[in-house]
Amino acid sequence: MKLSTSILGIKDDMKKINQIEETSTDYLHLDIMDGNFVSNKVDMYQAYNKKLDIHLMVKDIKAYVERYHTLNPEYITFHIEAIDNPKIMIDYIHSFGCKVGISLCPDTDVNTLIPCLQYVDLVLIMSVVPGSGGQAFLSNSVDKVNELYKLREENSYHYKIEVDGGLNRETIPLVSKADVLVVGSFITNSDNYEQRVEEIQRLIN
């Protein structure tokens, strides 16, 4: 299992971002928001040293992909709720050599993703309402993880399962079938980032 650290809570503090980059986390998770798909607006376009896991909470997905693919992320993830023809966008992101993730909001059924599952590299389950950090984990996310795990096993799909929102030492064990965990405030609100990252890595490995 991999750890992707969300820097949303420290997005304006380069000193703290640099400290996260010095930890042993596997990825930096960038939450990009357009003020339309969600009410907040966040732009985090700059150079980073860690591998990037970019989560687009935007309506004009293509415009943001055109910009953010130049950071050479490993993953670019967009929301199924923001687009009518996800296969076109999956192919578009792949054309830049990036892996593609598709995300669903807490009130979106997993079945909505079924036509896309054979094509994507990652499925991001939002375990909070997208748009802001520090929210409590939504328990229905556990069923979604288990359902996606079962669909992958039954159909020999290759996507990774990622969970984002409200993850801490109490909730991480609930999503043991996930492959990537996005953890934000549990790390960035702590006094020692590496110590907290290592604590999470002990929980997931």
Side-chain angles (χ1 to χ4, degrees):
M1 194 181 290
K2 301 288 187 180
L3 172 61
S4 188
T5 299
S6 171
I7 55 174
L8 180 63
I10 56 170
K11 65 183 185 300
D12 299 318
D13 191 328
M14 278 308 303
K15 181 180 178 181
K16 290 183 176 180
I17 291 173
N18 289 337
Q19 289 172 352
I20 291 289
E21 292 226 80
E22 292 170 1
T23 70
S24 54
T25 189
D26 299 290
Y27 299 98
L28 290 189
H29 184 87
L30 307 188
D31 290 301
I32 311 304
M33 309 179 197
D34 64 355
N36 292 306
F37 183 74
V38 293
S39 57
N40 287 339
K41 189 166 185 176
V42 177
D43 183 5
M44 303 178 75
Y45 186 89
Q46 63 186 56
Y48 299 92
N49 296 316
K50 286 279 189 186
K51 290 189 294 185
L52 298 180
D53 166 31
I54 296 179
H55 177 196
L56 301 178
M57 288 171 268
V58 304
K59 285 189 175 180
D60 188 354
I61 301 166
K62 186 176 182 181
Y64 281 83
V65 170
E66 287 175 352
R67 185 170 189 227
Y68 275 90
H69 88 269
T70 60
L71 295 179
N72 297 313
E74 182 159 340
Y75 293 100
I76 296 180
T77 296
F78 67 92
H79 270 264
I80 187 74
E81 300 90 354
I83 195 165
D84 293 326
N85 192 332
K87 180 61 166 58
I88 291 174
M89 189 55 59
I90 291 167
D91 292 342
Y92 185 65
I93 296 171
H94 274 150
S95 75
F96 293 110
C98 301
K99 294 178 182 176
V100 179
I102 195 160
S103 183
L104 68 166
C105 293
D107 57 354
T108 301
D109 195 281
V110 167
N111 289 332
T112 308
L113 299 178
I114 286 178
C116 306
L117 292 179
Q118 62 183 307
Y119 306 113
V120 297
D121 305 289
L122 179 142
V123 178
L124 170 56
I125 298 168
M126 290 302 300
S127 46
V128 297
V129 176
S132 62
Q135 300 179 61
F137 180 84
L138 296 171
S139 59
N140 71 330
S141 309
V142 177
D143 292 335
K144 290 184 176 182
V145 172
N146 294 337
E147 190 173 348
L148 282 163
Y149 183 88
K150 183 180 178 184
L151 284 166
R152 184 175 65 187
E153 293 296 300
E154 289 175 348
N155 296 281
S156 299
Y157 293 145
H158 68 276
Y159 58 79
K160 303 292 187 185
I161 301 169
E162 183 174 58
V163 182
D164 179 3
L167 292 172
N168 53 44
R169 62 175 65 93
E170 286 78 33
T171 55
I172 285 171
L174 301 176
V175 290
S176 59
K177 285 186 167 65
D179 305 290
V180 185
L181 299 185
V182 179
V183 182
S185 56
F186 185 58
I187 295 172
T188 58
N189 289 348
S190 69
D191 296 326
N192 188 318
Y193 294 160
E194 177 60 21
Q195 189 176 72
R196 190 54 60 89
V197 166
E198 288 177 2
E199 177 185 351
I200 294 167
Q201 288 172 335
R202 286 193 295 272
L203 284 170
I204 65 180
N205 293 318

